[in-house]
Amino acid sequence: MIYPCILSGGVGTRLWPLSRKDRPKQFLTIFDGDSLFQKTCKRVQAPGFADPIVIGSNSHRFLIGEQLAELGIEAQSILLEPVGRNTAPPALMAAMTAAEADPDALVLLLPSDHLIRKEDDFIAAVLNAGSAARNGAIVTFGITPTEPNTGYGYIKVASGNDPVRPVDAFVEKPDHARAEEFLQAGDYFWNAGIFLYSAKTMIDAFKSLQPELFEDVSAVMKTRHADLDFTRLDTATFEKLDNISIDYAIMEKASNVVCAPVAPEWDDLGSWSAIWTVLDKDADGNSALGDARFLGSKDCLAFADKGLVSVIGLENVMVIATADSVLVAHKDRAQDVKDVVEQLKAEGREEAEKHPRAYKPWGYTERINAGDRFSVQSMLIKPGKQLSLQSHLHRAEHWIVVSGTVEVTINGDKRLLTENQSAYVPLGARHTLTNPGKIPVRMIEVQSGTYLSEDDIIRHDQTSQT
């Protein structure tokens, strides 16, 4: 059995302002209604594959749970990383987790932010490589290059036509001239960072090549404890792990590495210009996501999260408009978006990391407007869910029900509110909300007071988190 391990801890700063620290690119639903994370999960819903192991950031736990639930997929395990430590520790954690379920398990390590259009070709390549992995090889999947791309690392493989071939060398990102040579040579492939290995083989590789990291990860795995549908890991123990990729830790040192070349129309969508390349285009090469119009423009990308974006008389320009931020850039400068994010972080701007929509265990909130002494947000409470019993020292709240039925508790007084009804929560009052029905509750919340930050909250029970 193949145990897919889906890595979902990236940030994706080059897709700002849509991608943020609390809602990174792998969770954005910009491709046919599914996120890249969801597409990755669906890709491995095939015969011969077990339920996925997901390893992601603690701060994304509710996004992970929400998007798995939307697909009706139950993960074998959702391991929450307290901090990012690159791909080597997760590769070993996945092997350890799979080995507990099946000593003969194969692990397919998958980034969650890649787009694969020919999924059947990819799955066929994985299944064909299974025998090599069972025989003790660590298989990396090389993508047949279609252009002299300087943004990817390369894998040089032995000549031949076998479905699995020995690896001669891993090559860092080349300049354009070398990338041209690689394209013509025919035995260089893009390094997609996708690996297939037996759990036992990877555990043995870490014991031999990274013994200290093996011991440290083993110590982390001993701290596992359940929290709702997730598995938490001790923060202090996890922070001691080396921040190292599986490529540097194992792949470039091991003698049993092979490559399975495949051409599945793969894209690592690491920038807005990369997004433009895979979208449908009009006769002038323009691509639109959302409500956009082009006039006298060529080879442009327009994204409208809300509202309308119009692009007039421009070429090779990207216009990305979200509820609170707008990016306008030449496509040739797409990689520099991350520098804007770093500048915003240095200025303490919340637009660098926080998305207007914040996912909770009970649903989500979405910021509508804010000003001096007031904040307005929409809320969605899922059926059967409840907020924690809480109070605030500096703000009062007004609730208006848009749809559904909600049970409101204010200082012990319970009542039901339905569409167009409202309630007022005085400053300091203990309050909670519960959705007792079968459909989501949609509400508008207006906060008013001298201090409106989220840390003005006192919790009086452990019913929920936030």
Side-chain angles (χ1 to χ4, degrees), residues 46-121:
F49 290 84
D51 292 333
I53 299 165
V54 178
I55 301 181
S57 169
N58 174 62
S59 60
H60 303 150
R61 61 195 182 280
F62 301 128
L63 269 171
I64 293 169
E66 179 84 13
Q67 295 203 350
L68 285 171
E70 288 176 359
L71 300 178
I73 294 175
E74 184 174 345
Q76 179 137 177
S77 179
I78 303 174
L79 294 168
L80 299 178
E81 296 179 303
V83 294
R85 284 296 180 264
N86 217 306
T87 55
L92 179 55
M93 289 192 295
M96 291 177 168
T97 302
E100 290 173 349
D102 177 3
D104 297 320
L106 297 185
V107 176
L108 178 64
L109 197 69
L110 291 165
S112 61
D113 55 358
H114 294 175
L115 180 66
I116 292 177
R117 291 185 288 281
K118 291 186 176 180
E119 296 193 338
D120 289 346
D121 290 359

Side-chain angles (χ1 to χ4, degrees), residues 334-349:
Q335 301 294 330
D336 296 336
V337 174
K338 64 181 184 298
D339 297 330
V340 174
V341 176
E342 290 304 315
Q343 182 177 333
L344 293 174
K345 286 182 183 178
E347 295 171 4
R349 295 290 297 261

